[in-house]
Amino acid sequence: MTTVLVAGATGSLGSLIVENLLDRGADVRALVRKSSVNKVTAHPNLTPCIGDLTGGADTLQQYLDGVEVVVSAVQGGPEVIIDGQQELLRAAERAGVHRMIPSDFSTNLYGYSYGVNVLSDLRRVFADAFATSTVARTSVAIGAFPEYFLGPVHEVLDPAAGTFSVWGDGTRPIDITTIPDTAAFTAAIALDPKTAGRDVHVVGQQLSMLELRNEVEAASGRRWELVRKGTLQDLRAEVVRRQYTASSIVEYVALQHQVAMFDGTASLRDIRNADYPDVAPTSVTAYLAGSGAAHFTVPEMTRHRAEWPTPV
Ligand SMILES: NC(=O)c1ccc[n+]([C@@H]2O[C@H](COP(=O)([O-])OP(=O)(O)OC[C@H]3O[C@@H](n4cnc5c(N)ncnc54)[C@H](OP(=O)(O)O)[C@@H]3O)[C@@H](O)[C@H]2O)c1
């Protein structure tokens, strides 16, 4: 039985990675912060380990003896993605862990350079730490989660206005994989020793923005007006403009992802779905017919905008 430690085990993705690893017969140690331990459900092969990545390698090491693979699905700023994951890597080295999957789970972020995307830069800095490590890195790339890509942050679908917005000509295929499918692939990849030292690209479905709009119209049964926002040059300029005025990276990081998705630099390459035939990814049609249908309704908060308190 392979022993896997999962950091970020209470998160949207991490909790499903834990479930998939258990289904595949792994012995799982779930690294959880003390305040989140009640989010972990009991299972005979699951051991909760209370710890914080920012607590340092010495406190993490006690949980890593006998662990073969570490999977990190944490989310956060540089203190978590760079410093915290480096502490986890140091602890893993000392315990003789073979492989680690860092918290990438993105488009092909190694297909473009520093400075394109602020969140990818954090992951790239952490990836450099493996150059001198005894632990082999396995990066999992999946494209965009539709749960986020069709949500408000990406500004593609606007259910209140009934619009579907596109930068560029909208014809280049983009990579889309749901969170549950990412978890299923990641568990399979974590238990596959051949992935040591490799970037593994897997995908739910590839389709262009114009095809995605057709899917949205078919699933929702209504028309979504196509809004052409501008060229990719215009998109890059919009990112720069927002960087000067934004109060938070949330205001521009989704557009940074879109720059690299739509110009093709972040496209997945050498897709390895065939290596994991027991993972049957969800089509966009099936996603939109299920939980994805929530994207078509106006969030309650937005609907009652007129009733929002006036800022003082
Ligand atoms: N491709 C895409 O479209 C896409 C979209 C979104 C996210 N992602 C990626 O998917 C990965 C997981 O994201 P998610 O949405 O599942 O994140 P999430 O739901 O916010 O979960 C984050 C997890 O990290 C844990 N965590 C945060 N700081 C920690 C610390 N200092 N020590 C230990 N644990 C800590 C949290 O623990 P608590 O429960 O204690 O808070 C939680 O379990 C990230 O790499 C993210 O960038 C990809």
Side-chain angles (χ1 to χ4, degrees):
M1 189 187 282
T2 307
T3 303
V4 183
L5 180 134
V6 180
T10 54
S12 317
L13 175 63
S15 58
L16 296 180
I17 294 174
V18 169
E19 273 180 35
N20 278 273
L21 285 167
L22 291 169
D23 287 349
R24 287 175 179 272
D27 183 24
V28 180
R29 297 186 196 167
L31 184 74
V32 287
R33 293 193 278 191
K34 198 170 180 183
S35 54
S36 302
V37 77
N38 60 343
K39 296 184 197 166
V40 181
T41 42
H43 186 285
N45 295 334
L46 177 65
T47 310
C49 305
I50 295 177
D52 190 314
L53 289 196
T54 59
D58 291 343
T59 55
L60 298 171
Q61 201 182 335
Q62 58 183 313
Y63 302 127
L64 287 157
D65 280 340
V67 167
E68 286 153 70
V69 187
V70 168
V71 179
S72 171
V74 293
Q75 181 64 298
E79 73 292 351
V80 176
I81 298 297
I82 300 177
D83 304 335
Q85 289 198 113
Q86 278 176 350
E87 294 300 329
L88 185 58
L89 180 62
R90 295 283 91 86
E93 286 165 1
R94 289 184 210 159
V97 169
H98 302 160
R99 288 180 288 127
M100 175 168 173
I101 298 180
S103 195
D104 291 347
F105 308 112
S106 187
T107 56
N108 176 21
L109 64 95
Y110 302 100
Y112 52 89
S113 55
Y114 275 103
V116 174
N117 183 301
V118 62
L119 294 183
S120 301
D121 286 350
L122 305 182
R123 285 153 177 79
R124 200 175 280 106
V125 170
F126 176 57
D128 290 343
F130 286 87
T132 54
S133 180
T134 51
V135 179
R137 166 181 158 277
T138 300
S139 177
V140 176
I142 49 78
F145 294 163
E147 292 87 341
Y148 285 79
F149 192 69
L150 294 175
V153 173
H154 270 275
E155 304 171 20
V156 172
L157 269 194
D158 182 341
T163 54
F164 184 101
S165 295
V166 175
W167 293 93
D169 67 11
T171 58
R172 181 187 289 279
I174 58 168
D175 307 296
I176 294 183
T177 309
T178 65
I179 296 174
D181 290 344
T182 300
F185 276 124
T186 301
I189 292 165
L191 299 176
D192 176 4
K194 294 191 303 297
T195 61
R198 286 174 39 207
D199 286 12
V200 183
H201 294 193
V202 285
V203 72
Q205 190 174 345
Q206 296 176 303
L207 75 182
S208 72
M209 288 296 280
L210 298 182
E211 289 167 334
L212 181 58
R213 174 171 170 258
N214 291 341
E215 293 273 2
V216 164
E217 290 200 329
S220 64
R222 66 189 232 220
R223 187 167 181 280
W224 293 74
E225 186 193 340
L226 180 66
V227 178
R228 291 199 175 272
K229 303 281 281 186
T231 64
L232 295 191
Q233 247 346 82
D234 296 332
L235 173 57
R236 291 189 188 93
E238 175 65 8
V239 168
V240 173
R241 192 191 68 72
R242 291 191 190 194
Q243 281 174 315
Y244 279 109
T245 57
S247 53
S248 150
I249 64 164
V250 176
E251 292 173 37
Y252 60 84
V253 74
L255 294 190
Q256 288 189 321
H257 280 299
Q258 290 184 27
V259 167
M261 288 168 75
F262 299 156
D263 74 10
T265 51
S267 299
L268 300 181
R269 318 201 192 280
D270 187 22
I271 291 167
R272 307 300 297 199
N273 286 28
D275 292 351
Y276 308 101
D278 59 345
V279 179
T282 316
S283 65
V284 168
T285 307
Y287 169 71
L288 292 175
S291 60
H295 296 299
F296 307 144
T297 56
V298 180
E300 199 63 19
M301 281 287 287
T302 315
R303 197 176 300 147
H304 297 295
R305 198 176 208 115
E307 297 161 25
W308 288 6
T310 312
V312 286

